[in-house]
Amino acid sequence: IDGGSPADIVFVIALNLIDIALRIVGIIAVGYLIYGGFRFVTSRGSPDETKKAQDIILKAVVGLVIAILSAVIVSFAVSRLNP
């Protein structure tokens, strides 16, 4: 924001930091998705291990969707504040 008030500048910096944090959370969610897939493949048909792996995969997908949607919302807010 060119010539904006200090409060606006701080707000934009905070939004950018939140955006970076949400992208990191997305990367971590992808890591858990891969981990869940690995656990699923190596479960050897054990119902307990398969269920645990499916739970990890489901939670990772939900976390990834939340992180992506949150990053999109924050990016939209930053773009609206920076003409």
Side-chain angles (χ1 to χ4, degrees), residues 8-36:
D8 290 340
I9 294 170
V10 170
F11 185 66
V12 170
I13 291 171
L15 284 176
N16 283 322
L17 290 175
I18 291 169
D19 187 47
I20 291 168
L22 288 171
R23 292 174 193 272
I24 292 170
V25 168
I27 292 169
I28 292 170
V30 169
Y32 271 104
L33 186 60
I34 292 168
Y35 173 68

Side-chain angles (χ1 to χ4, degrees), residues 1 6 29 44 52 59 61 76:
I1 299 176
R44 297 184 185 184
K52 288 178 186 176
K59 291 174 183 176
V61 168
F76 176 75

Side-chain angles (χ1 to χ4, degrees), residues 48-66:
D48 291 337
E49 291 299 317
T50 302
K51 178 67 175 147
K52 288 178 186 176
Q54 287 173 342
D55 287 343
I56 291 171
I57 292 169
L58 178 64
K59 291 174 183 176
V61 168
V62 169
L64 186 60
V65 168
I66 290 171

